[in-house]
Amino acid sequence: MFDYLIVGAGFAGSVLAERLAAGAGKRVIVVDRRPHIAGNAYDHYDDAGVLVHKYGPHIFHTNSREVFEYLSRFTAWRPYEHRVLASVDGQLLPIPINLDTVNRLYGLGLTALELEQFFAARAEKVEPVRTSEDVIVSRVGRELYGKFFRNYTRKQWGLDPAELDASVTARVPVRCNRDDRYFDDTYQAMPKHGYTRLFERMLAHPNIKVMLNTDYRDIAGEIGYREMIYTGPVDEFFDHRHGKLPYRSLRFHHETYDHAVYQPAPVVNYPNQHLYTRVTEFKYLTGQEHAKTSVVYEYPCDEGDPYYPVPRPENAELYRRYKALADATPGVHFAGRLATYRYYNMDQVVAQALTLYARLCRRSVDVAPR
Ligand code: FAD
Ligand code: UDP
């Protein structure tokens, strides 16, 4: 008899398994239909011996000390600040757009103050800022929006930025200084021995049993458990009763090259060329030294594993109907990016899981006999 059946061994499921087992003494079974733990953060050594991320580049960054300290129980870190170049008009330019991006794109020598005026002269007044187009056009104007954002977004989402919530392109800041880091967060680092090792340590508790290659539906009737934590797609849980919730997928094309370096930055974005959005060279992320190098190309698509919830009003409305079903399902708790239909980074999923754990603990205190 288990206290919890946890569906999914990604960050949401594994953090909850660890907390419930090690923090609350519960007996937990974690099932995942994939042949490995770590969900989309899974990494492994490829045939050439290069550490790669199977589901695209995963860079850890957070402003939450609690999340960073919690994960630090299971891994040492390698300091790493992520940098990205975008291929635009025949040049490789820093993205987020910054002072160097504009000066190099237009052959100018602007100062930070002059760049602020440059943007102000081109920015279009948009009131209120609702869409992903509004965010960029109201900050830097239509030309830079067209060069860096419109086509990348169309390719990534199969939608025009005007059809997506502001929150999508708002993930990428615009800067007037020369800071070319992709993220601003206080804590930026990679797990020193990879994500999978971190998950192995998180799940290595005698109260946790892990079953891979197993859909929970195949075993839910066979094992005893009191409650379920579900981290898969929420619409699938309810057999798509209200229709399919859109999730965007990707096809990952992995390549290994017989030389040490492939490109001049960890990630190169291709807003206006190719069917792929970006190319990631893993050795930059991991710090591994190797005579060969491995990269991944990301081709966005509609069909395939669900990776991204698609933030737009009609999807939020459909999700609300599934959320109502979820709230009315006793004994099942929904957590993670797919089950709560949120475009969350890893740290946000960890924070959400820790919050759910705290709620489950409070509840068991509330109902405990006095
Ligand atoms: P998942 O990792 O998706 O885990 C859910 C698990 O549930 C899966 O393993 C799935 O197989 C399993 N499952 C589903 N249904 C069933 C079922 N019926 N039975 C059994 N098992 C089931 N975040 C960052 O912070 N930084 C980044 O740089 C970053 N880059 C990303 C790049 C890409 C291409 C993608 C797609 C995401 C990226 N993320 C990044 C986001 C990050 O992947 C997620 O925030 C995080 O992995 C979500 O964890 P999760 O546990 O919610 O879901
Ligand atoms: N984006 C863009 N051009 C870029 C980088 C990002 O248009 O060069 C937009 C695009 O819509 C993308 C979103 O900003 O989906 C968020 O980018 P991020 O790099 O955070 O995407 P993720 O790593 O989650 O795929």
Side-chain angles (χ1 to χ4, degrees), residues 7-14 31-34 36-41 55-61 171 183 195 214-217 230-233 236 250 252 278 298 306-308 335-339 344-349 352:
V7 180
F11 268 107
S14 298
V31 300
D32 203 301
R33 58 187 170 195
R34 287 170 167 167
H36 57 73
I37 57 171
N40 287 340
Y55 305 99
H58 279 71
I59 296 111
F60 186 79
H61 55 101
R171 289 167 62 87
F183 306 111
Y195 288 98
T214 308
D215 194 298
Y216 82 97
R217 288 174 197 253
Y230 178 80
T231 74
E236 194 181 313
L250 293 170
F252 298 103
R278 61 186 175 190
E298 293 174 53
Y307 292 123
Y308 292 84
R337 174 148 146 155
L338 303 172
Y344 270 172
N345 295 324
M346 294 180 280
D347 64 318
Q348 295 169 298
V349 170
Q352 187 195 44

Short mmCIF file of all heavy atoms in Angstrom, two decimals, residues 7-14 31-34 36-41 55-61 171 183 195 214-217 230-233 236 250 252 278 298 306-308 335-339 344-349 352, ligand 1:
data_model
loop_
_atom_site.label_atom_id
_atom_site.label_comp_id
_atom_site.label_asym_id
_atom_site.label_seq_id
_atom_site.Cartn_x
_atom_site.Cartn_y
_atom_site.Cartn_z
N VAL A 7 2.43 10.50 -10.78
CA VAL A 7 2.51 10.27 -12.21
C VAL A 7 3.47 11.28 -12.82
O VAL A 7 3.18 12.48 -12.84
CB VAL A 7 1.12 10.39 -12.87
CG1 VAL A 7 1.22 10.14 -14.38
CG2 VAL A 7 0.14 9.44 -12.21
N GLY A 8 4.64 10.81 -13.27
CA GLY A 8 5.64 11.69 -13.90
C GLY A 8 6.84 11.86 -12.99
O GLY A 8 6.71 12.23 -11.82
N ALA A 9 8.03 11.59 -13.55
CA ALA A 9 9.28 11.70 -12.78
C ALA A 9 10.09 12.91 -13.19
O ALA A 9 11.31 12.93 -13.12
CB ALA A 9 10.11 10.42 -12.95
N GLY A 10 9.40 13.98 -13.66
CA GLY A 10 10.06 15.25 -13.95
C GLY A 10 10.25 16.03 -12.65
O GLY A 10 10.13 15.47 -11.55
N PHE A 11 10.53 17.34 -12.77
CA PHE A 11 10.76 18.14 -11.57
C PHE A 11 9.54 18.11 -10.63
O PHE A 11 9.69 17.95 -9.41
CB PHE A 11 11.11 19.58 -11.94
CG PHE A 11 12.59 19.80 -12.05
CD1 PHE A 11 13.20 19.95 -13.29
CD2 PHE A 11 13.40 19.82 -10.92
CE1 PHE A 11 14.58 20.14 -13.39
CE2 PHE A 11 14.77 20.01 -11.00
CZ PHE A 11 15.37 20.16 -12.25
N ALA A 12 8.35 18.27 -11.18
CA ALA A 12 7.17 18.33 -10.31
C ALA A 12 7.02 17.04 -9.52
O ALA A 12 6.92 17.05 -8.28
CB ALA A 12 5.91 18.61 -11.16
N GLY A 13 7.03 15.91 -10.24
CA GLY A 13 6.81 14.62 -9.59
C GLY A 13 7.95 14.24 -8.65
O GLY A 13 7.73 13.73 -7.54
N SER A 14 9.19 14.50 -9.07
CA SER A 14 10.33 14.04 -8.27
C SER A 14 10.51 14.88 -7.00
O SER A 14 10.87 14.35 -5.95
CB SER A 14 11.61 14.06 -9.12
OG SER A 14 11.46 13.17 -10.21
N VAL A 31 5.61 6.78 -11.22
CA VAL A 31 5.61 6.08 -12.52
C VAL A 31 5.82 7.09 -13.64
O VAL A 31 5.33 8.23 -13.58
CB VAL A 31 4.29 5.31 -12.79
CG1 VAL A 31 4.06 4.25 -11.73
CG2 VAL A 31 3.10 6.23 -12.90
N ASP A 32 6.56 6.67 -14.64
CA ASP A 32 6.73 7.51 -15.83
C ASP A 32 6.66 6.61 -17.05
O ASP A 32 7.22 5.52 -17.06
CB ASP A 32 8.07 8.26 -15.79
CG ASP A 32 8.01 9.50 -16.68
OD1 ASP A 32 7.76 9.36 -17.91
OD2 ASP A 32 8.18 10.62 -16.16
N ARG A 33 5.99 7.11 -18.07
CA ARG A 33 5.85 6.25 -19.27
C ARG A 33 7.11 6.28 -20.12
O ARG A 33 7.27 5.44 -21.00
CB ARG A 33 4.60 6.63 -20.06
CG ARG A 33 4.53 8.04 -20.54
CD ARG A 33 3.13 8.27 -21.15
NE ARG A 33 2.91 9.68 -21.42
CZ ARG A 33 1.71 10.19 -21.67
NH1 ARG A 33 0.65 9.42 -21.66
NH2 ARG A 33 1.58 11.47 -21.92
N ARG A 34 7.97 7.23 -19.86
CA ARG A 34 9.25 7.23 -20.58
C ARG A 34 10.21 6.22 -19.93
O ARG A 34 9.99 5.81 -18.79
CB ARG A 34 9.88 8.63 -20.50
CG ARG A 34 9.16 9.64 -21.39
CD ARG A 34 9.68 11.02 -21.07
NE ARG A 34 9.27 12.00 -22.06
CZ ARG A 34 9.39 13.32 -21.88
NH1 ARG A 34 9.90 13.79 -20.76
NH2 ARG A 34 9.01 14.16 -22.82
N HIS A 36 13.04 6.75 -18.70
CA HIS A 36 14.02 7.42 -17.84
C HIS A 36 13.33 8.38 -16.87
O HIS A 36 12.18 8.77 -17.11
CB HIS A 36 15.02 8.21 -18.70
CG HIS A 36 14.36 9.22 -19.60
ND1 HIS A 36 13.81 10.40 -19.12
CD2 HIS A 36 14.13 9.22 -20.94
CE1 HIS A 36 13.29 11.07 -20.13
NE2 HIS A 36 13.46 10.38 -21.24
N ILE A 37 14.07 8.74 -15.81
CA ILE A 37 13.59 9.79 -14.89
C ILE A 37 13.98 11.16 -15.45
O ILE A 37 14.57 11.25 -16.51
CB ILE A 37 14.21 9.60 -13.48
CG1 ILE A 37 15.75 9.61 -13.57
CG2 ILE A 37 13.69 8.32 -12.84
CD1 ILE A 37 16.44 9.64 -12.21
N ALA A 38 13.62 12.22 -14.73
CA ALA A 38 14.03 13.62 -15.00
C ALA A 38 13.16 14.37 -16.01
O ALA A 38 13.39 15.55 -16.28
CB ALA A 38 15.50 13.70 -15.42
N GLY A 39 12.12 13.71 -16.56
CA GLY A 39 11.20 14.41 -17.46
C GLY A 39 11.95 15.10 -18.58
O GLY A 39 12.91 14.54 -19.13
N ASN A 40 11.55 16.31 -18.89
CA ASN A 40 12.18 17.03 -20.00
C ASN A 40 13.58 17.52 -19.66
O ASN A 40 14.29 18.01 -20.54
CB ASN A 40 11.31 18.22 -20.41
CG ASN A 40 10.08 17.75 -21.15
OD1 ASN A 40 10.04 16.63 -21.67
ND2 ASN A 40 9.06 18.59 -21.19
N ALA A 41 13.97 17.42 -18.41
CA ALA A 41 15.32 17.86 -18.04
C ALA A 41 16.35 16.73 -18.20
O ALA A 41 17.54 16.93 -17.93
CB ALA A 41 15.33 18.36 -16.59
N TYR A 55 15.91 16.61 -24.53
CA TYR A 55 14.74 17.41 -24.91
C TYR A 55 15.09 18.89 -25.03
O TYR A 55 14.32 19.76 -24.61
CB TYR A 55 13.60 17.20 -23.91
CG TYR A 55 13.23 15.74 -23.76
CD1 TYR A 55 13.71 14.99 -22.69
CD2 TYR A 55 12.43 15.11 -24.71
CE1 TYR A 55 13.40 13.64 -22.57
CE2 TYR A 55 12.11 13.76 -24.59
CZ TYR A 55 12.59 13.03 -23.52
OH TYR A 55 12.29 11.69 -23.40
N GLY A 56 16.26 19.20 -25.55
CA GLY A 56 16.61 20.60 -25.79
C GLY A 56 17.30 21.21 -24.58
O GLY A 56 17.31 20.64 -23.48
N PRO A 57 17.90 22.40 -24.79
CA PRO A 57 18.78 23.00 -23.77
C PRO A 57 18.03 23.38 -22.50
O PRO A 57 17.02 24.06 -22.54
CB PRO A 57 19.27 24.28 -24.46
CG PRO A 57 18.20 24.61 -25.46
CD PRO A 57 17.70 23.29 -25.94
N HIS A 58 18.55 22.93 -21.36
CA HIS A 58 17.97 23.28 -20.06
C HIS A 58 19.00 24.02 -19.23
O HIS A 58 19.98 23.43 -18.78
CB HIS A 58 17.46 22.03 -19.34
CG HIS A 58 16.11 21.62 -19.85
ND1 HIS A 58 15.91 21.09 -21.10
CD2 HIS A 58 14.88 21.72 -19.28
CE1 HIS A 58 14.63 20.88 -21.28
NE2 HIS A 58 13.97 21.24 -20.20
N ILE A 59 18.75 25.30 -19.02
CA ILE A 59 19.68 26.14 -18.26
C ILE A 59 18.99 26.56 -16.98
O ILE A 59 17.87 27.11 -17.01
CB ILE A 59 20.08 27.38 -19.10
CG1 ILE A 59 20.85 26.90 -20.33
CG2 ILE A 59 20.95 28.33 -18.28
CD1 ILE A 59 20.15 27.09 -21.60
N PHE A 60 19.63 26.29 -15.85
CA PHE A 60 18.99 26.59 -14.58
C PHE A 60 19.24 28.03 -14.17
O PHE A 60 20.37 28.50 -14.17
CB PHE A 60 19.47 25.65 -13.47
CG PHE A 60 18.69 25.87 -12.22
CD1 PHE A 60 17.42 25.33 -12.09
CD2 PHE A 60 19.18 26.68 -11.22
CE1 PHE A 60 16.65 25.60 -10.97
CE2 PHE A 60 18.43 26.93 -10.09
CZ PHE A 60 17.16 26.39 -9.97
N HIS A 61 18.16 28.73 -13.82
CA HIS A 61 18.27 30.10 -13.32
C HIS A 61 17.08 30.38 -12.42
O HIS A 61 15.96 29.92 -12.71
CB HIS A 61 18.31 31.11 -14.49
CG HIS A 61 17.15 31.00 -15.43
ND1 HIS A 61 16.08 31.85 -15.41
CD2 HIS A 61 16.87 30.10 -16.42
CE1 HIS A 61 15.22 31.51 -16.34
NE2 HIS A 61 15.66 30.44 -16.97
N ARG A 171 9.39 37.31 -21.89
CA ARG A 171 10.45 36.52 -21.26
C ARG A 171 11.83 37.03 -21.65
O ARG A 171 12.80 36.80 -20.94
CB ARG A 171 10.33 35.04 -21.71
CG ARG A 171 9.15 34.30 -21.16
CD ARG A 171 8.94 32.99 -21.92
NE ARG A 171 10.05 32.07 -21.82
CZ ARG A 171 10.22 31.17 -20.84
NH1 ARG A 171 9.33 31.09 -19.86
NH2 ARG A 171 11.24 30.35 -20.84
N PHE A 183 19.77 35.65 -19.11
CA PHE A 183 18.93 35.76 -17.91
C PHE A 183 19.54 36.77 -16.93
O PHE A 183 20.76 36.95 -16.89
CB PHE A 183 18.83 34.41 -17.20
CG PHE A 183 18.35 33.30 -18.09
CD1 PHE A 183 19.19 32.26 -18.47
CD2 PHE A 183 17.05 33.28 -18.57
CE1 PHE A 183 18.77 31.24 -19.31
CE2 PHE A 183 16.60 32.26 -19.41
CZ PHE A 183 17.46 31.25 -19.79
N TYR A 195 21.62 16.88 -14.91
CA TYR A 195 20.29 16.84 -14.29
C TYR A 195 19.91 15.43 -13.85
O TYR A 195 19.32 15.24 -12.80
CB TYR A 195 19.24 17.37 -15.27
CG TYR A 195 19.32 18.86 -15.49
CD1 TYR A 195 19.98 19.38 -16.59
CD2 TYR A 195 18.77 19.74 -14.57
CE1 TYR A 195 20.07 20.74 -16.79
CE2 TYR A 195 18.86 21.11 -14.77
CZ TYR A 195 19.50 21.61 -15.88
OH TYR A 195 19.60 22.96 -16.06
N THR A 214 6.06 2.93 -17.88
CA THR A 214 4.74 2.55 -17.36
C THR A 214 3.78 3.72 -17.40
O THR A 214 4.03 4.76 -16.78
CB THR A 214 4.86 2.09 -15.88
OG1 THR A 214 5.87 1.09 -15.80
CG2 THR A 214 3.54 1.54 -15.36
N ASP A 215 2.68 3.54 -18.13
CA ASP A 215 1.62 4.54 -18.08
C ASP A 215 0.81 4.27 -16.81
O ASP A 215 0.49 3.11 -16.53
CB ASP A 215 0.73 4.43 -19.32
CG ASP A 215 -0.16 5.65 -19.46
OD1 ASP A 215 -1.00 5.89 -18.56
OD2 ASP A 215 -0.01 6.37 -20.46
N TYR A 216 0.48 5.32 -16.08
CA TYR A 216 -0.19 5.09 -14.79
C TYR A 216 -1.51 4.36 -14.97
O TYR A 216 -1.95 3.62 -14.09
CB TYR A 216 -0.38 6.42 -14.03
CG TYR A 216 -1.58 7.21 -14.47
CD1 TYR A 216 -2.79 7.13 -13.77
CD2 TYR A 216 -1.53 8.01 -15.61
CE1 TYR A 216 -3.90 7.85 -14.19
CE2 TYR A 216 -2.62 8.73 -16.03
CZ TYR A 216 -3.81 8.65 -15.33
OH TYR A 216 -4.90 9.35 -15.73
N ARG A 217 -2.11 4.53 -16.14
CA ARG A 217 -3.41 3.89 -16.35
C ARG A 217 -3.29 2.36 -16.35
O ARG A 217 -4.25 1.65 -16.08
CB ARG A 217 -4.02 4.35 -17.68
CG ARG A 217 -4.51 5.78 -17.63
CD ARG A 217 -4.96 6.25 -19.00
NE ARG A 217 -5.05 7.70 -19.04
CZ ARG A 217 -6.18 8.39 -19.05
NH1 ARG A 217 -7.33 7.79 -19.03
NH2 ARG A 217 -6.15 9.71 -19.08
N TYR A 230 -0.62 14.09 -10.09
CA TYR A 230 -0.58 13.90 -11.54
C TYR A 230 0.15 15.06 -12.19
O TYR A 230 -0.21 16.23 -11.97
CB TYR A 230 -2.02 13.80 -12.07
CG TYR A 230 -2.08 13.66 -13.58
CD1 TYR A 230 -1.88 12.42 -14.19
CD2 TYR A 230 -2.32 14.77 -14.39
CE1 TYR A 230 -1.92 12.30 -15.57
CE2 TYR A 230 -2.36 14.65 -15.78
CZ TYR A 230 -2.15 13.40 -16.35
OH TYR A 230 -2.19 13.27 -17.72
N THR A 231 1.21 14.76 -12.99
CA THR A 231 1.98 15.85 -13.62
C THR A 231 1.98 15.76 -15.15
O THR A 231 2.77 16.41 -15.81
CB THR A 231 3.44 15.89 -13.10
OG1 THR A 231 4.19 14.80 -13.68
CG2 THR A 231 3.53 15.79 -11.59
N GLY A 232 1.10 14.95 -15.70
CA GLY A 232 0.98 14.87 -17.17
C GLY A 232 0.02 15.94 -17.69
O GLY A 232 -0.45 16.79 -16.93
N PRO A 233 -0.29 15.90 -18.99
CA PRO A 233 -1.21 16.90 -19.56
C PRO A 233 -2.61 16.78 -18.94
O PRO A 233 -3.17 15.69 -18.88
CB PRO A 233 -1.26 16.53 -21.05
CG PRO A 233 -0.06 15.70 -21.29
CD PRO A 233 0.24 14.99 -20.01
N GLU A 236 -5.53 15.28 -21.01
CA GLU A 236 -5.44 13.83 -21.21
C GLU A 236 -6.02 13.09 -19.99
O GLU A 236 -6.66 12.05 -20.13
CB GLU A 236 -3.96 13.47 -21.41
CG GLU A 236 -3.73 12.09 -21.94
CD GLU A 236 -2.24 11.79 -22.10
OE1 GLU A 236 -1.49 12.62 -22.65
OE2 GLU A 236 -1.82 10.71 -21.62
N LEU A 250 8.03 19.88 -30.29
CA LEU A 250 9.30 20.11 -31.01
C LEU A 250 9.80 18.76 -31.49
O LEU A 250 9.60 17.74 -30.84
CB LEU A 250 10.37 20.69 -30.06
CG LEU A 250 10.19 22.08 -29.49
CD1 LEU A 250 11.23 22.33 -28.41
CD2 LEU A 250 10.31 23.14 -30.58
N PHE A 252 13.46 17.18 -32.07
CA PHE A 252 14.86 17.47 -31.77
C PHE A 252 15.75 16.67 -32.72
O PHE A 252 15.62 15.44 -32.80
CB PHE A 252 15.20 17.09 -30.33
CG PHE A 252 14.40 17.87 -29.32
CD1 PHE A 252 13.31 17.28 -28.68
CD2 PHE A 252 14.71 19.19 -29.03
CE1 PHE A 252 12.56 17.99 -27.76
CE2 PHE A 252 13.97 19.90 -28.10
CZ PHE A 252 12.88 19.30 -27.47
N ARG A 278 16.56 27.21 -33.30
CA ARG A 278 17.85 27.48 -32.66
C ARG A 278 18.72 26.23 -32.65
O ARG A 278 18.21 25.11 -32.76
CB ARG A 278 17.66 28.03 -31.24
CG ARG A 278 16.95 27.08 -30.31
CD ARG A 278 16.66 27.72 -28.94
NE ARG A 278 15.88 26.81 -28.13
CZ ARG A 278 15.30 27.11 -26.98
NH1 ARG A 278 15.40 28.35 -26.49
NH2 ARG A 278 14.61 26.22 -26.31
N GLU A 298 16.26 22.49 -33.06
CA GLU A 298 14.86 22.39 -32.61
C GLU A 298 13.90 22.78 -33.74
O GLU A 298 13.90 23.92 -34.18
CB GLU A 298 14.63 23.29 -31.39
CG GLU A 298 15.40 22.80 -30.17
CD GLU A 298 15.29 23.76 -29.00
OE1 GLU A 298 14.16 24.12 -28.60
OE2 GLU A 298 16.35 24.17 -28.48
N PRO A 306 3.89 16.73 -25.84
CA PRO A 306 3.51 18.11 -25.48
C PRO A 306 4.63 18.78 -24.69
O PRO A 306 5.02 18.26 -23.65
CB PRO A 306 2.27 17.91 -24.61
CG PRO A 306 2.43 16.53 -24.03
CD PRO A 306 3.25 15.73 -25.00
N TYR A 307 5.16 19.89 -25.17
CA TYR A 307 6.25 20.57 -24.45
C TYR A 307 5.85 21.94 -23.90
O TYR A 307 6.27 22.31 -22.82
CB TYR A 307 7.47 20.74 -25.36
CG TYR A 307 8.13 19.43 -25.71
CD1 TYR A 307 8.31 19.05 -27.04
CD2 TYR A 307 8.57 18.56 -24.71
CE1 TYR A 307 8.91 17.85 -27.36
CE2 TYR A 307 9.16 17.35 -25.03
CZ TYR A 307 9.33 17.00 -26.35
OH TYR A 307 9.91 15.81 -26.66
N TYR A 308 5.11 22.70 -24.71
CA TYR A 308 4.78 24.07 -24.30
C TYR A 308 3.27 24.26 -24.23
O TYR A 308 2.59 24.03 -25.23
CB TYR A 308 5.29 25.08 -25.34
CG TYR A 308 6.77 25.23 -25.46
CD1 TYR A 308 7.51 24.35 -26.25
CD2 TYR A 308 7.44 26.27 -24.84
CE1 TYR A 308 8.88 24.50 -26.40
CE2 TYR A 308 8.81 26.43 -24.99
CZ TYR A 308 9.52 25.53 -25.76
OH TYR A 308 10.88 25.69 -25.91
N ALA A 335 0.05 19.04 -10.65
CA ALA A 335 1.25 19.89 -10.49
C ALA A 335 2.10 19.83 -11.75
O ALA A 335 2.07 18.85 -12.49
CB ALA A 335 2.07 19.42 -9.29
N GLY A 336 2.86 20.91 -11.98
CA GLY A 336 3.82 20.92 -13.09
C GLY A 336 3.31 21.67 -14.30
O GLY A 336 2.18 22.16 -14.35
N ARG A 337 4.17 21.73 -15.30
CA ARG A 337 3.94 22.58 -16.48
C ARG A 337 2.77 22.09 -17.33
O ARG A 337 2.01 22.89 -17.86
CB ARG A 337 5.26 22.56 -17.28
CG ARG A 337 5.26 23.22 -18.60
CD ARG A 337 6.62 23.81 -18.87
NE ARG A 337 7.00 23.76 -20.27
CZ ARG A 337 7.87 24.60 -20.82
NH1 ARG A 337 8.44 25.54 -20.12
NH2 ARG A 337 8.18 24.50 -22.09
N LEU A 338 2.61 20.77 -17.44
CA LEU A 338 1.56 20.23 -18.31
C LEU A 338 0.23 20.14 -17.58
O LEU A 338 -0.82 20.36 -18.16
CB LEU A 338 1.96 18.84 -18.79
CG LEU A 338 3.31 18.75 -19.53
CD1 LEU A 338 3.68 17.29 -19.79
CD2 LEU A 338 3.23 19.52 -20.84
N ALA A 339 0.29 19.81 -16.28
CA ALA A 339 -0.96 19.57 -15.53
C ALA A 339 -1.60 20.87 -15.07
O ALA A 339 -2.80 20.90 -14.79
CB ALA A 339 -0.67 18.68 -14.32
N TYR A 344 6.02 27.37 -17.43
CA TYR A 344 6.91 27.51 -16.29
C TYR A 344 8.32 27.03 -16.61
O TYR A 344 8.50 26.01 -17.28
CB TYR A 344 6.40 26.65 -15.13
CG TYR A 344 5.45 27.32 -14.17
CD1 TYR A 344 4.81 26.57 -13.19
CD2 TYR A 344 5.20 28.69 -14.23
CE1 TYR A 344 3.94 27.16 -12.28
CE2 TYR A 344 4.33 29.28 -13.33
CZ TYR A 344 3.71 28.52 -12.37
OH TYR A 344 2.86 29.10 -11.47
N ASN A 345 9.30 27.74 -16.07
CA ASN A 345 10.67 27.25 -16.08
C ASN A 345 10.82 26.22 -14.95
O ASN A 345 9.97 26.10 -14.07
CB ASN A 345 11.64 28.41 -15.86
CG ASN A 345 11.59 29.39 -17.02
OD1 ASN A 345 11.43 28.99 -18.18
ND2 ASN A 345 11.72 30.67 -16.71
N MET A 346 12.00 25.57 -14.97
CA MET A 346 12.22 24.51 -13.97
C MET A 346 12.06 25.03 -12.54
O MET A 346 11.45 24.38 -11.69
CB MET A 346 13.63 23.92 -14.13
CG MET A 346 13.83 23.20 -15.44
SD MET A 346 15.50 22.52 -15.61
CE MET A 346 16.42 23.96 -16.09
N ASP A 347 12.64 26.20 -12.26
CA ASP A 347 12.60 26.70 -10.88
C ASP A 347 11.17 27.00 -10.44
O ASP A 347 10.81 26.80 -9.28
CB ASP A 347 13.48 27.96 -10.73
CG ASP A 347 12.98 29.12 -11.55
OD1 ASP A 347 12.56 28.91 -12.72
OD2 ASP A 347 12.97 30.26 -11.04
N GLN A 348 10.34 27.43 -11.39
CA GLN A 348 8.94 27.72 -11.04
C GLN A 348 8.19 26.42 -10.75
O GLN A 348 7.32 26.38 -9.88
CB GLN A 348 8.27 28.49 -12.18
CG GLN A 348 8.87 29.87 -12.39
CD GLN A 348 8.38 30.52 -13.68
OE1 GLN A 348 8.61 30.00 -14.77
NE2 GLN A 348 7.69 31.63 -13.57
N VAL A 349 8.54 25.37 -11.48
CA VAL A 349 7.91 24.07 -11.22
C VAL A 349 8.34 23.55 -9.85
O VAL A 349 7.52 23.03 -9.07
CB VAL A 349 8.26 23.07 -12.35
CG1 VAL A 349 7.82 21.66 -11.98
CG2 VAL A 349 7.62 23.51 -13.66
N GLN A 352 6.46 25.52 -7.27
CA GLN A 352 5.06 25.09 -7.22
C GLN A 352 4.93 23.75 -6.48
O GLN A 352 4.01 23.55 -5.68
CB GLN A 352 4.53 24.95 -8.65
CG GLN A 352 3.04 24.67 -8.74
CD GLN A 352 2.64 24.19 -10.13
OE1 GLN A 352 3.30 23.35 -10.73
NE2 GLN A 352 1.54 24.74 -10.63
P1 FAD B 1 7.90 17.15 -17.34
O1 FAD B 1 9.37 17.31 -17.22
O2 FAD B 1 7.27 17.19 -18.70
O3 FAD B 1 7.52 15.75 -16.64
C1 FAD B 1 6.25 15.16 -16.78
C2 FAD B 1 6.48 13.66 -16.89
O4 FAD B 1 5.21 13.01 -16.79
C3 FAD B 1 7.09 13.23 -18.21
O5 FAD B 1 8.33 12.58 -17.99
C4 FAD B 1 6.04 12.30 -18.81
O6 FAD B 1 6.61 11.18 -19.49
C5 FAD B 1 5.26 11.86 -17.60
N1 FAD B 1 3.89 11.45 -17.90
C6 FAD B 1 2.92 12.19 -18.52
N2 FAD B 1 1.79 11.47 -18.63
C7 FAD B 1 2.04 10.26 -18.07
C8 FAD B 1 1.26 9.08 -17.89
N3 FAD B 1 -0.02 8.99 -18.34
N4 FAD B 1 1.81 8.02 -17.25
C9 FAD B 1 3.11 8.06 -16.83
N5 FAD B 1 3.90 9.15 -17.00
C10 FAD B 1 3.36 10.25 -17.60
N6 FAD B 1 13.26 25.50 -18.02
C11 FAD B 1 14.26 26.21 -17.47
O7 FAD B 1 14.20 26.56 -16.30
N7 FAD B 1 15.38 26.55 -18.21
C12 FAD B 1 15.52 26.18 -19.50
O8 FAD B 1 16.54 26.49 -20.14
C13 FAD B 1 14.47 25.42 -20.11
N8 FAD B 1 14.57 25.05 -21.39
C14 FAD B 1 13.57 24.30 -21.94
C15 FAD B 1 13.71 23.91 -23.28
C16 FAD B 1 12.73 23.14 -23.87
C17 FAD B 1 12.89 22.72 -25.32
C18 FAD B 1 11.57 22.76 -23.13
C19 FAD B 1 10.49 21.95 -23.78
C20 FAD B 1 11.42 23.17 -21.82
C21 FAD B 1 12.41 23.94 -21.20
N9 FAD B 1 12.32 24.34 -19.88
C22 FAD B 1 13.33 25.09 -19.32
C23 FAD B 1 11.13 24.02 -19.05
C24 FAD B 1 11.32 22.73 -18.24
O9 FAD B 1 11.50 21.65 -19.13
C25 FAD B 1 10.07 22.50 -17.40
O10 FAD B 1 9.77 23.61 -16.60
C26 FAD B 1 10.16 21.29 -16.47
O11 FAD B 1 10.95 20.26 -17.00
C27 FAD B 1 8.75 20.81 -16.22
O12 FAD B 1 8.75 19.75 -15.28
P2 FAD B 1 7.40 18.92 -15.06
O13 FAD B 1 7.71 17.92 -14.03
O14 FAD B 1 6.26 19.84 -14.88
O15 FAD B 1 7.11 18.21 -16.48
#
